[in-house]
Amino acid sequence: MPTTERPGGVRARLFVREALPTPATQSSQRTIARLERLTSEGLLDGYSVTSWDKRLPVDGADAPEQRRRYNEFSDWARSNGARLTPFFDTRECYSMETGEKRTELVFPAICLALYEDGDLRTVAPHAAGSETESVADCLDRLVEQSTDEPVRRTTVTAD
């Protein structure tokens, strides 16, 4: 039976804060529905949704996966002439636990990362020059690029 594969498959990872106000929750649900459609249409090879904390102390060891992800996004931004600020930002925050002020890294409510062949291709939201790219803009660009370039398909048949 023939199978169809897309070389250079694109996968999406959506990061969402758990506790969001209703408008942001609705936005994340619309984004998830769109990722599902793009996957069923073959523009994405798949997607995942991960919840993350609103903020993390800059000095600390908690949430190592979220810190690693932020570092990966920062490396991508530096390599591509982009900025993650103001979407990812640092703020002086008061800790109810310790009673002290500390610098915390604040994460966006919704963030999308696209990977191609396992390599980070883009992060949204981000800024480059005076332009910004939202999660919706990123998905729009994915759709536009897919119509500009023919989809390469490989047919594999059994002998």
Side-chain angles (χ1 to χ4, degrees), residues 103 106 119 143 146:
T103 304
V106 180
D119 295 326
V143 171
S146 71

Side-chain angles (χ1 to χ4, degrees), residues 81-147:
R83 296 183 320 280
L84 297 179
T85 55
F87 313 104
F88 291 80
D89 207 358
T90 55
R91 292 190 194 136
E92 288 296 316
C93 299
Y94 177 79
S95 170
M96 296 295 282
E97 298 165 0
T98 65
E100 298 174 354
K101 285 185 179 179
R102 63 184 181 195
T103 304
E104 294 188 344
L105 177 60
V106 180
F107 291 81
I110 302 169
C111 178
L112 179 70
L114 295 181
Y115 293 85
E116 188 167 5
D117 290 332
D119 295 326
L120 183 59
R121 179 171 146 184
T122 193
V123 175
H126 74 266
S130 62
E131 301 293 317
T132 61
E133 181 169 274
S134 68
V135 170
D137 295 336
C138 181
L139 293 175
D140 290 345
R141 190 165 45 87
L142 176 69
V143 171
E144 289 168 10
Q145 288 174 346
S146 71
T147 57

